[in-house]
Amino acid sequence: MSRILIVEDEERIASFIRKGLTAGGFTTTVVGTGAEAVDYAVTGGFDLMLLDLGLPDTDGFDVLRRVRSMGVDTPVVILTARDGVRDTVTGLEIGADDYVTKPFRFEELLARVRLRMRRERNGELTVLQAGGLALDLRTRRVAVDGDTVDLTAREFALLELLMRHPGQVLSRQQMLSHVWGYDYDPGSNVVDVFVRALRRKVGADRIVTVRGMGYRLMD
């Protein structure tokens, strides 16, 4: 049975994650400080670490740097409320394997955990491609017809969702649930706002509006 180290100081969120992972068949250990995270991580007894950046005693980036400098190669998925490209890139460059922005739906987190573990076992590719778009899940970089474009964390998550389902119509509710998490507002127009932003960056003709239903990525 796979063991996951949860590094999260907010009890509500830690409990939410622990219960979900336990129900999914994982064994979990929860710690609330960076010092505890390092102590547990160096034992080598975990298959994956979920690491919050906003810890009470230190920044999660420092924890990541320390465990990597000590030779710990356990996959790390960062959890954070910070929604910015710089933080995303920093985490990945210093050794994180994936990045999930709060708030999130548990289904999304569970899918990323399982995907990361499959990649570790099978060496799966980490680049999604569709219609001239290339999305690197590890470096969080996006290329449009060979040219790199900068996306925010939310834009990246929305594009990733579309690229995982090319040609499929995704409803606004599906997008809200997947990208904005468990306390999204069903009446919000945030999806439309972000789709417009994505179109400006990746090409207006690549994301098609299906009236009354949602959006579809052209492949």
Side-chain angles (χ1 to χ4, degrees):
M1 184 177 293
S2 299
R3 297 188 62 198
I4 297 179
L5 177 62
I6 303 168
V7 186
E8 171 62 67
D9 66 310
E10 293 188 39
E11 292 185 8
R12 180 180 66 88
I13 296 176
S15 176
F16 167 73
I17 296 172
R18 179 183 60 78
K19 289 178 180 178
L21 290 176
T22 300
F26 297 96
T27 298
T28 62
T29 298
V30 178
V31 298
T33 68
E36 291 176 302
V38 173
D39 288 343
Y40 276 85
V42 297
T43 67
F46 296 92
D47 299 289
L48 184 138
M49 179 195 301
L50 296 176
L51 175 63
D52 180 44
L53 292 184
L55 300 172
D57 60 333
T58 187
D59 190 274
F61 287 148
D62 292 332
V63 173
L64 183 56
R65 290 188 184 95
R66 287 186 63 189
V67 298
R68 290 299 189 236
S69 70
M70 298 168 77
V72 176
D73 60 0
T74 302
V76 174
V77 176
I78 287 178
L79 306 176
T80 182
R82 305 175 190 176
D83 185 5
V85 173
R86 179 174 298 177
D87 284 327
T88 303
V89 172
T90 297
L92 294 166
E93 286 183 342
I94 64 176
D97 296 273
D98 208 343
Y99 208 98
V100 178
T101 304
K102 300 176 183 177
F104 54 82
R105 282 185 62 83
F106 181 75
E107 289 84 353
E108 176 193 1
L109 177 63
L110 182 60
R112 289 182 179 274
V113 166
R114 286 175 171 164
L115 180 62
R116 172 51 49 196
M117 289 187 170
R118 286 201 302 273
R119 286 176 186 155
E120 291 301 311
R121 289 194 298 267
N122 303 329
E124 293 182 12
L125 294 176
T126 60
V127 177
L128 302 178
Q129 295 185 343
L133 300 177
L135 184 149
D136 192 315
L137 297 171
R138 175 164 175 77
T139 65
R140 312 296 276 192
R141 291 186 171 88
V142 177
V144 179
D145 296 325
D147 296 324
T148 300
V149 297
D150 292 328
L151 301 183
T152 67
R154 297 289 190 196
E155 289 169 349
F156 186 97
L158 185 58
L159 182 60
E160 179 184 348
L161 177 64
L162 288 164
M163 290 184 68
R164 288 189 183 279
H165 305 277
Q168 177 180 332
V169 178
L170 298 176
S171 70
R172 289 173 175 80
Q173 184 173 350
Q174 285 176 303
M175 294 178 173
L176 278 168
S177 174
H178 183 90
V179 177
W180 280 268
Y182 44 80
D183 49 11
Y184 65 87
D185 176 6
S188 171
N189 71 337
V190 67
V191 168
D192 306 286
V193 172
F194 272 75
V195 166
R196 287 197 295 270
L198 268 182
R199 282 172 168 162
R200 288 194 295 270
K201 295 181 178 183
V202 306
D205 58 338
R206 285 190 163 95
I207 303 175
V208 176
T209 301
V210 181
R211 191 173 299 277
M213 298 179 66
Y215 294 100
R216 178 177 63 208
L217 179 72
M218 298 297 290
D219 188 1

